Every structure is written in C-alpha cells, then in structure tokens.
Amino acid sequence: MESLAVSARSRDATPSPRRASTHLFDGALGASTEKSSPRASFELTPIESNGLANGDMASPPVTPVKTREQSHPAREDLGAESMPFDFSKIDYELARARCIGQGLWSKVWLADAKHPERRWPALPTPPSSPPKWTSSTTASSLFAVKTAARPDAAAVFKQETKVLTHLMRIDDASQYVVTFHGLDFRNSALVFEAVIGGSLEGLNNRLKQMTEVSRHLELVNLFPGLASDLVSGLEFLHEAGVVHADIKPANILLDISEHISLPKPVVRARYIDFSAAFRLDSDDSTENSGGSWDYMAPEQLRIQKELNNPTFASDVWSLGISLLSLLVGDSPYTAACSGNLFMLREAIKTGDPLSFARVSPTVQKRMSAAQDFVDCCRVALQKDRQKRPTASAWKAWLGNHDLLV
C-alpha cells in the first residue's frame, strides 16, 4: 500500500498522554473491510485501495473548474445555514484522486490540494518598494472529498452540510469533529480535512494481527485516552443539539498529532460522517437516521416510532458498543450470533451485550484482564434508556475513575 504523507496537526487542547504506536498506523489511510451487517442506506463502505468491490477501478470525478463569478445560483441556494467551500484560497485536484470509501449515497475521494498560482501585483510607481507576491495556502496537503453517488443524494448532502456548518461555527469544533471545509457549489461535493491514522475499525483490525500480550499492552496505552476523547466529543455534539445517529468504529477517525509537552505524537479520536445526523429543534429530517444493527440501542429495534428514532440516549449506547468492540476485538454479538440476523436482532433487544461477548473464551479472558475498561463501557450500556447516563454524566464518571488494569 502506498504511503500517503499528511502533515501532523497540533491541537490547542492538551491531549491525553498516550503515544502513537507507529506500526499500528502504517498505511492507516488505506481502507479496511468491514464485516457484513445490516446497514442503513447512507453508510459508507470501505473499499480496497486498488479498486472497487467488484474489481473495477474507480474513475475519479472531474475536477471542478474555478470560476471568477462572485455570484452563482448554486452558491445563493446554500443559504446562511450552509458553509460554502472557499476555493479561492485553496482548491483540490480530483484527476488523480483515490476512492477510499463508497456507499449508497456517496463516494469519498482522497484528493491533493491545488494551491493557487503566484499573483504578481502591478508594478509600483517609484519610489515605493515593490510588494511581495501573495498566495493563499493552508497547512493541509490532502482533502477528503465526498461526492454524490446518485441524484437523490442531494437532500442527504444538504442536511449534512447544515449539521456540519452548525458544528463548525462553535469554538473548538475541530477538537471533536473532523474539520469540514464546506460544500463546493461547483460539484455539490462536501470537502473535509484528510486525517492520518485511519478509523477505529481499522485500528481494531490491526490489533487482530498482534499477539494477545502485545494487543493488551496497546489497549492499555490507547483505550483511556480514546474513551476520554470520544465521550467528550459526544458531550460536545449533544450540547450543540446534534444527534449523530450512526456512531460506530467506522465513523470514528484517529488523528496522530504532535504536542509541545510530549516527546512523541499522540492518538486522538474524532467523529466523521454526519449523513444520518440531525439537529433537535429544527426542521431536519430523521428519514435517513438509523444506524448499523450491531451498534443500535435496544429501543431502536422496537416497532413504536417514538422509541425507535435515534436520540441522545441511543448515541450513548452506540459509543458504548463501539468502545466495547475495541476491547473485545469485534462486535460483542459475533460469537453468539455467528452472522444469523434473526439471532442478532433478538440479542440486541435483550440489552445485554456484555453477556453475549463472554460467549467467546478469548473475549472472556480479554475482558477479565481489563475490568476497568469493561466498567467504562457498562456505564453506557443500560437497557432502559431512561436510566442511561447522558454524555456529560459519563464524562463526569470518567473524571472520577482512573482507567487502570
């Protein structure tokens, strides 16, 4: 797999003192293959870097043409709730872009930044000194560009843009959410910061290649900080009035960042893919909200509409299952259900994923060796959503407990 250079970002907030294990994140931008499970139609499916699932090479879309027009119908249609991508400062090139994910609604391309050419000012009239040339650039060298895979994806993109714009206007949003640069009105693509480190799902897959002892040591190093990042991030989303509605390992990206107080880079976790998300107290649709079965809360499989809609409480459950999957190495239902969808559905409805995880002798040993981590997950995995803690309460619990093993 080719190596992709991405500049490390510094964070304003002090990160957890955990170091990035280099061998775990080599080639992390390459896509991993997710085990099949019932998925909502908006989910991105990772693909192999050398082509699509059927073996065909993905043809990158045409690079949008830069226009000098200040007014454009598509730009005007965005409205105040939607942030446009400002290609006058820096643009991207799709001709050689690599497809790193695809789904029913969209494809995601890893695209090189295209810096503007030097702009020489008119010659000055003596005796003033000639001004220096200027160029608008950013530190990013790569973009993740999300393009529509079908015409009716426009409504999904429109709502995702509104949700991300709302979040990006809040201070420190990029601490918790992968930076959104805006909607490119030229091709209706969503433009994001490209993040090094891969996804939490990819990390889980890499941990599977390690011995049990090495795997345990890596978890001891990484789990406390990742849990802290993600619970704090969930608190941020909920305080902003946003329900993510599809939290799972594939929608959590890992960022390897340097920090002045630490000798080596540290691993941070942030949320991505808000195609299912919606804002409370708004006219946002919940039509595309749902999630992946393994990470859905028990009440979401109920028939009653007032129960199966995603909520802050179901987000908390989904994060609890995501962290548990990192601890046990897979979905907690895998050993007990063996891919049987009826059994999976019934297992989720019981609201007892910890018991199903222990069906595997290997997983049982992993859980016994990291009881504090299990307790962290158990806090969120209350079957009764009325008894389930808020993200803020979960964060307070973490503040009062040292995750030691």
Side-chain angles (χ1 to χ4, degrees):
M1 184 176 297
E2 62 180 341
S3 175
L4 296 170
V6 180
S7 301
R9 294 170 62 258
S10 296
R11 299 284 188 86
D12 293 330
T14 302
S16 305
R18 56 195 182 276
R19 292 178 295 176
S21 299
T22 305
H23 65 280
L24 274 178
F25 297 97
D26 285 343
L29 279 172
S32 59
T33 304
E34 182 182 1
K35 291 183 179 294
S36 60
S37 66
R39 290 189 292 264
S41 58
F42 46 79
E43 178 183 346
L44 285 178
T45 303
I47 62 174
E48 297 298 331
S49 61
N50 62 345
L52 299 177
N54 62 4
D56 295 332
M57 295 297 290
S59 299
V62 176
T63 299
V65 177
K66 185 172 293 187
T67 175
R68 294 182 179 274
E69 287 186 57
Q70 298 298 318
S71 178
H72 190 285
R75 178 191 285 272
E76 294 170 358
D77 288 344
L78 292 181
E81 290 185 296
S82 301
M83 178 170 63
F85 174 64
D86 189 355
F87 54 82
S88 67
K89 293 181 178 179
I90 190 170
D91 212 345
Y92 55 87
E93 175 62 61
L94 289 176
R96 294 182 297 276
R98 179 161 66 91
C99 187
I100 56 174
Q102 65 174 353
L104 180 62
W105 297 111
S106 59
K107 293 182 179 180
V108 178
W109 305 86
L110 192 65
D112 290 323
K114 187 170 65 174
H115 297 280
E117 298 179 356
R118 294 183 176 186
R119 299 188 296 274
W120 294 93
L123 290 175
T125 302
S128 61
S129 300
K132 296 179 180 179
W133 65 270
T134 59
S135 178
S136 299
T137 61
T138 69
S140 177
S141 59
L142 290 171
F143 289 110
V145 182
K146 187 174 182 179
T147 60
R150 43 191 282 181
D152 54 351
V156 177
F157 274 34
K158 182 177 180 181
Q159 179 161 310
E160 184 172 6
T161 297
K162 289 182 178 180
V163 170
L164 288 167
T165 299
H166 169 67
L167 293 174
M168 287 296 113
R169 287 173 175 168
I170 302 173
D171 291 341
D172 298 326
S174 293
Q175 297 287 330
Y176 311 108
V177 176
V178 172
T179 303
F180 175 59
H181 292 301
L183 174 67
D184 191 339
F185 67 84
R186 298 170 298 176
N187 58 1
S188 299
L190 306 184
V191 185
F192 297 88
E193 167 198 0
V195 177
I196 192 172
S199 66
L200 193 67
E201 180 186 55
L203 172 61
N204 218 352
N205 290 334
R206 290 187 287 278
L207 288 171
K208 292 177 183 178
Q209 309 305 315
M210 307 176 79
T211 65
E212 283 298 313
V213 172
S214 296
R215 182 186 185 280
H216 177 75
L217 292 175
E218 288 294 343
L219 278 176
V220 170
N221 185 38
L222 294 173
F223 187 96
L226 294 178
S228 178
D229 282 350
L230 291 169
V231 174
S232 296
L234 190 60
E235 179 189 43
F236 168 79
L237 294 181
H238 290 176
E239 287 184 348
V242 171
V243 177
H244 187 285
D246 192 24
I247 294 175
K248 59 186 175 185
N251 288 342
I252 295 168
L253 295 191
L254 306 180
D255 181 18
I256 303 178
S257 302
E258 294 180 350
H259 192 271
I260 191 170
S261 66
L262 299 173
K264 292 186 178 181
V266 293
V267 182
R268 305 297 301 273
R270 290 186 285 170
Y271 292 102
I272 191 66
D273 193 354
F274 287 78
S275 54
F278 57 93
R279 299 165 297 169
L280 297 178
D281 301 323
S282 75
D283 59 354
D284 288 352
S285 170
T286 60
E287 183 179 347
N288 293 316
S289 300
S292 301
W293 276 18
D294 292 82
Y295 304 96
M296 289 172 69
E299 66 270 12
Q300 290 183 272
L301 297 182
R302 301 284 294 275
I303 298 176
Q304 297 92 329
K305 183 75 172 178
E306 66 274 11
L307 292 177
N308 60 34
N309 270 339
T311 61
F312 289 161
S314 63
D315 271 357
V316 169
W317 177 280
S318 296
L319 180 54
I321 294 289
S322 297
L323 290 172
L324 181 62
S325 71
L326 178 63
L327 175 59
V328 305
D330 212 330
S331 163
Y333 307 107
T334 297
C337 300
S338 302
N340 184 303
L341 298 185
F342 174 78
M343 293 177 63
L344 174 62
R345 182 182 179 90
E346 295 306 306
I348 295 169
K349 288 164 66 176
T350 67
D352 191 12
L354 295 172
S355 294
F356 283 98
R358 291 191 179 95
V359 170
S360 166
T362 300
V363 169
Q364 191 171 18
K365 291 179 181 178
R366 291 174 179 175
M367 294 172 69
S368 297
Q371 190 58 52
D372 282 357
F373 296 172
V374 175
D375 290 342
C376 173
C377 299
R378 182 183 285 112
V379 170
L381 299 177
Q382 303 293 324
K383 180 180 180 180
D384 185 347
R385 70 177 183 181
Q386 301 299 327
K387 297 180 180 179
R388 210 172 294 155
T390 63
S392 296
W394 193 6
K395 181 180 176 180
W397 183 93
L398 281 173
N400 293 326
H401 293 77
D402 291 327
L403 296 184
L404 304 174
V405 295

